[in-house]
Amino acid sequence: MTEATFPQCRIITERLLNPETTERLLNKVVSVAGVRRMVLNGPRLPLTVPYGPAKGQANPHPMRKTIHVGDQEIPLQVHVGTILLEIENKDVIPALQTAIEPVFTDFAFRIQEGKYMKTEPSLTDYCKYGPNADKAMLGLADPSSKSRPIILQGLK
């Protein structure tokens, strides 16, 4: 029996998003039925300075805030630039487009279709989650991260 392959798309913006825009965008994405998985990509915002003369000191970055998506609080660990999505079917893309258009009034965005997330477990996934890993977690493992991905409950 073959397993279903779900379409994937990504939202690309002209610039990096501030926390308020990210919060509005994610609330719109979560409100669309048919989104299975989501990954936020961008430069990391570490709590402490990772290298240089100030190594180990606090890193007070204005873009590292806690945002509210749905009824959950999510600490931003990246300065969001690209959002990867796995969706139920291609019919979700037009609904997604109309839902997020009001967020982007000051700059442009694009939604591209393609394959952007792993669908088979890698060695990193095996090391992070073990041999009986949840298929929904594939490709979401950061080998250097001590935390697990955040799971949002959207519409079904």
Side-chain angles (χ1 to χ4, degrees):
M1 180 171 9
T2 60
E3 291 188 26
T5 304
F6 296 100
Q8 297 177 1
C9 63
R10 69 178 171 185
I11 301 170
I12 301 172
T13 61
E14 275 186 350
R15 59 187 175 113
L16 296 174
L17 304 177
N18 63 27
E20 293 78 21
T21 307
T22 302
E23 181 176 349
R24 284 187 311 179
L25 176 63
L26 294 182
N27 280 314
K28 296 287 188 180
V29 169
V30 169
S31 70
V32 174
V35 176
R36 292 176 38 89
R37 298 193 303 164
M38 178 177 16
V39 177
L40 304 178
N41 282 337
R44 196 166 89 78
L45 301 172
L47 291 172
T48 59
V49 177
Y51 51 83
K55 181 178 181 176
Q57 293 181 0
N59 183 16
H61 199 286
M63 296 300 160
R64 188 181 52 247
K65 294 183 179 177
T66 300
I67 62 173
H68 302 278
V69 179
D71 58 351
Q72 286 184 279
E73 290 188 357
I74 300 172
L76 279 180
Q77 299 174 1
V78 295
H79 196 171
V80 179
T82 305
I83 296 113
L84 307 178
L85 301 166
E86 184 177 78
I87 53 180
E88 295 288 336
N89 55 40
K90 291 188 179 192
D91 298 335
V92 175
I93 295 175
L96 189 65
Q97 175 94 19
T98 57
I100 66 174
E101 275 178 355
V103 175
F104 296 102
T105 57
D106 297 333
F107 55 96
F109 75 98
R110 289 186 310 231
I111 296 180
Q112 295 179 334
E113 295 181 50
K115 186 173 180 181
Y116 304 105
M117 291 185 225
K118 291 188 262 179
T119 55
E120 295 295 320
S122 66
L123 180 61
T124 302
D125 293 318
Y126 182 80
C127 293
K128 188 83 173 178
Y129 302 118
N132 301 322
D134 183 10
K135 295 286 185 189
M137 299 302 232
L138 292 180
L140 303 180
D142 178 9
S144 63
S145 175
K146 304 279 188 276
S147 63
R148 294 184 61 88
I150 297 170
I151 298 173
L152 292 174
Q153 297 299 321
L155 299 176
K156 282 280 180 182

